Amino acid sequence: MIFRALSFYLLNFFFVAWAESFCASKGFFLPLSAIYVFYLTVSRGIYQSLIASAILLVLVSAICSYNNALFSLGAFFVAYLWRDMGDCQSFPPQILPIFCALLPAYLLEFGLSSPWLMTKFMLPSIIISSLLAPLFLWFWDFISDSLTLPRFSVLDNYAEDV
């Protein structure tokens, strides 16, 4: 069980860091680490997601040269509320909480100073990231199910956090 969980985390750490750096090199900001933190908070609980968030913060900062702390913290707090009050049984409803997590993080990180930045960078990134989020959540759930690890779409699979 420990080997499967460790391989799941390592695979996803490198996948998330690679995908974010690839998108950043193409001029598109995809906060995949925040979506991954959202997934872990709902499926595994707060402790594992905070540890993963710290590791991804270091990896993404080193590879992409930007700080993703606001995005990960926003996704963590929204996911913490969403896992108890939201609909985690299917993937399309996850667009709303991820959008609600990313919008304040984008505004705090980039501000509203430039209309060009809003229309050419922020708005498309927020919309595309939110729309792609269910696909990534399904992908991670599929991998978790294959490794018989706790899944996102099963609500009672995390221990109660104290």
Side-chain angles (χ1 to χ4, degrees):
M1 178 71 166
I2 293 173
F3 179 71
R4 288 182 290 192
L6 185 61
S7 63
F8 175 79
Y9 286 117
L10 289 176
L11 170 79
N12 286 310
F13 288 154
F14 290 114
F15 169 72
V16 166
W18 177 83
E20 277 198 41
S21 65
F22 178 78
C23 291
S25 71
K26 302 297 181 197
F28 179 72
F29 182 68
L30 177 68
L32 194 55
S33 55
I35 298 170
Y36 186 60
V37 168
F38 181 86
Y39 174 82
L40 288 178
T41 304
V42 172
S43 65
R44 309 277 162 69
I46 63 171
Y47 300 115
Q48 291 182 28
S49 66
L50 287 176
I51 292 168
S53 178
I55 293 170
L56 284 172
L57 176 67
V58 171
L59 274 175
V60 171
S61 295
I63 295 173
C64 300
S65 300
Y66 62 80
N67 189 347
N68 64 347
L70 286 175
F71 298 98
S72 294
L73 283 175
F76 171 77
F77 287 123
V78 169
Y80 185 72
L81 296 173
W82 185 254
R83 74 181 189 170
D84 293 327
M85 296 183 285
D87 176 21
C88 298
Q89 296 297 319
S90 60
F91 297 105
Q94 309 318 311
I95 292 172
L96 178 65
I98 290 176
F99 180 82
C100 292
L102 294 180
L103 182 62
Y106 271 100
L107 293 176
L108 288 172
E109 185 77 26
F110 302 113
L112 295 172
S113 60
S114 171
W116 177 85
L117 187 66
M118 279 293 292
T119 58
K120 299 290 183 193
F121 178 70
M122 275 181 49
L123 202 54
S125 292
I126 291 172
I127 292 171
I128 292 172
S129 298
S130 298
L131 292 176
L132 285 178
L135 179 67
F136 287 115
L137 295 175
W138 174 83
F139 171 71
W140 289 316
D141 224 29
F142 175 76
I143 293 173
S144 291
D145 190 36
S146 299
L147 295 172
T148 62
L149 296 171
R151 294 182 307 148
F152 181 87
S153 57
V154 178
L155 286 177
D156 295 329
N157 58 6
Y158 60 88
E160 287 297 321
D161 300 317
V162 180

